[in-house]
Amino acid sequence: SVAVGGVVAARHYVPAFDLNGLPRVDVTTLEQDASSWVARLDPALRPATPQERSPVLVVHHRRRGAPDEPPSPREPHPVASPAEVLLDLYDLRLTEQADDFVQVLRRKRDDHV
């Protein structure tokens, strides 16, 4: 019920995605209480304060059961859908990269039609 999103998933869909060094990992879960999932992942994890600039784990609650991209040999973990990834990029205020992401996905779709 958990899939990787954000920049990691963007690279799954668009290997040439041009963002490096972002200290943030986005995951999407169907669980109602995302904090319980985080506590099972590592009980030492806690909410960050606004002053902290350390790596950040961002947990998004997905309200509907849209399918995620299944694991592949290249990515051993489930990857959030392109729509979830796009929302993550906009949430990060990566507007230019989000627009590029959409354009590449459109080109890929058009190439397969």
Side-chain angles (χ1 to χ4, degrees), residues 48-108:
T49 65
Q51 297 80 16
E52 291 179 304
R53 297 220 176 232
S54 61
V56 176
L57 171 65
V58 179
V59 181
H60 305 276
H61 171 68
R62 185 175 63 209
R63 288 175 170 65
R64 56 186 170 78
D68 294 318
E69 183 80 9
S72 69
R74 196 178 86 212
E75 298 288 345
H77 45 270
V79 177
S81 70
E84 295 282 346
V85 174
L86 185 61
L87 291 172
D88 292 345
L89 296 176
Y90 280 122
D91 183 52
L92 286 161
R93 293 180 176 82
L94 299 173
T95 306
E96 184 177 325
Q97 289 88 348
D99 293 344
D100 290 344
F101 181 73
V102 169
Q103 293 304 316
V104 170
L105 292 180
R106 283 182 178 158
R107 281 194 300 273
K108 283 183 174 183

Side-chain angles (χ1 to χ4, degrees), residues 16-35:
F17 192 75
D18 68 348
L19 190 64
N20 290 310
L22 187 68
R24 173 173 156 156
V25 174
D26 289 79
V27 294
T28 301
T29 180
L30 285 171
E31 293 189 24
Q32 291 291 331
D33 181 12
S35 61

